């Protein structure tokens, strides 16, 4: 995958916070608030994917194991969790799995980083799993391990409706 027809590197950093129904106290909320939403990109845990055109750096909880799936489609686009990164214009788009709408275009990743945050509630009769996911993403021509620490994101996109509704119940 040659992003934007030039040698570029897509860097995806995923930070996952997970908790169950018993961890909704003020103390638990304060503990989760101290967890960073960005880190330096270090190998390991970071690894190369898609013919070394992408670095994936995942942090945080993964109670169920292999929580985030990554794939490159036949169209050359990168798909992961609720996101698509277009190979043609290196734009990231978000798709809320609960809504029957086309993906929401967030913005270009070309030399600017974007932070996306969203929540999930996986609830059944016996077990509730709350999840807050942060995705930091950028496309660079040269790797920089501190890319997410050196500056603030150009765009911050949030979709917390599902978790906000669960907090009220």
């Amino acid at each position: 995958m040659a992003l934007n027809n030039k040698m570029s590197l897509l860097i995806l950093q995923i930070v996952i916070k997970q908790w169950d129904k018993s961890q909704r106290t003020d103390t638990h909320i304060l503990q989760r608030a101290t967890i960073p939403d960005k880190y330096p990109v270090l190998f390991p845990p970071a690894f190369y994917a898609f013919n070394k055109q992408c670095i994936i750096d995942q942090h945080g909880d993964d109670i169920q194991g292999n929580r985030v799936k990554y794939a490159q489609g036949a169209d050359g686009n990168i798909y992961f969790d609720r996101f698509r990164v277009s190979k043609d214009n290196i734009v990231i788009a978000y798709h809320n799995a609960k809504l029957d709408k086309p993906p929401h275009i967030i913005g270009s990743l070309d030399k600017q980083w974007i932070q996306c945050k969203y929540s999930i509630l996986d609830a059944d009769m016996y077990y509730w799993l709350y999840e807050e996911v942060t995705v930091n993403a950028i496309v660079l021509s040269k790797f920089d391990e501190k890319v997410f620490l050196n500056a603030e994101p150009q765009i911050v996109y949030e979709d917390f409706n599902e978790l906000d509704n669960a907090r009220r119940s």
Side-chain angles (χ1 to χ4, degrees):
M1 172 174 124
L3 293 168
N4 208 15
N5 295 324
K6 60 185 175 184
M7 287 305 290
S8 297
L9 182 63
L10 171 63
I11 303 172
L12 299 174
Q13 184 174 77
I14 296 94
V15 180
I16 302 172
K17 299 177 190 178
Q18 295 176 330
W19 63 98
D20 65 34
K21 195 172 183 177
S22 70
Q23 298 168 314
R24 295 184 301 164
T25 67
D26 289 341
T27 301
H28 289 108
I29 292 168
L30 289 172
Q31 286 173 343
R32 282 191 297 278
T34 65
I35 299 171
D37 63 0
K38 57 189 173 185
Y39 294 86
V41 180
L42 303 174
F43 292 88
F47 61 92
Y48 284 98
F50 312 119
N51 204 22
K52 293 195 172 188
Q53 293 291 311
C54 178
I55 294 174
I56 298 172
D57 183 33
Q58 187 170 320
H59 298 268
D61 303 316
D62 193 0
I63 293 169
Q64 297 166 323
N66 295 319
R67 162 58 186 82
V68 180
K69 309 283 191 251
Y70 311 92
Q72 186 170 19
D75 56 7
N77 295 333
I78 302 286
Y79 297 89
F80 64 100
D81 208 29
R82 295 183 174 189
F83 297 91
R84 177 192 72 216
V85 177
S86 168
K87 75 165 182 89
D88 295 326
N89 55 9
I90 54 178
V91 167
I92 190 168
Y94 172 80
H95 179 72
N96 184 330
K98 298 276 182 180
L99 300 177
D100 189 23
K101 294 181 180 178
H104 173 77
I105 303 296
I106 298 170
S108 171
L109 296 173
D110 192 17
K111 299 179 189 104
Q112 68 176 7
W113 75 277
I114 293 176
Q115 184 174 72
C116 305
K117 296 183 175 198
Y118 64 96
S119 61
I120 298 171
L121 169 61
D122 183 10
D124 62 30
M125 292 179 63
Y126 303 104
Y127 182 76
W128 289 40
L129 178 65
Y130 297 92
E131 190 171 76
E132 184 179 304
V133 179
T134 301
V135 173
N136 302 318
I138 190 168
V139 172
L140 296 173
S141 57
K142 183 179 174 191
F143 175 67
D144 176 1
E145 74 179 30
K146 295 183 180 180
V147 66
F148 300 121
L149 302 178
N150 290 336
E152 293 301 310
Q154 290 295 314
I155 298 171
V156 175
Y157 178 82
E158 295 182 344
D159 182 10
F160 285 120
N161 293 334
E162 192 172 335
L163 189 57
D164 288 341
N165 292 338
R167 286 181 179 146
R168 289 186 206 121
S169 56

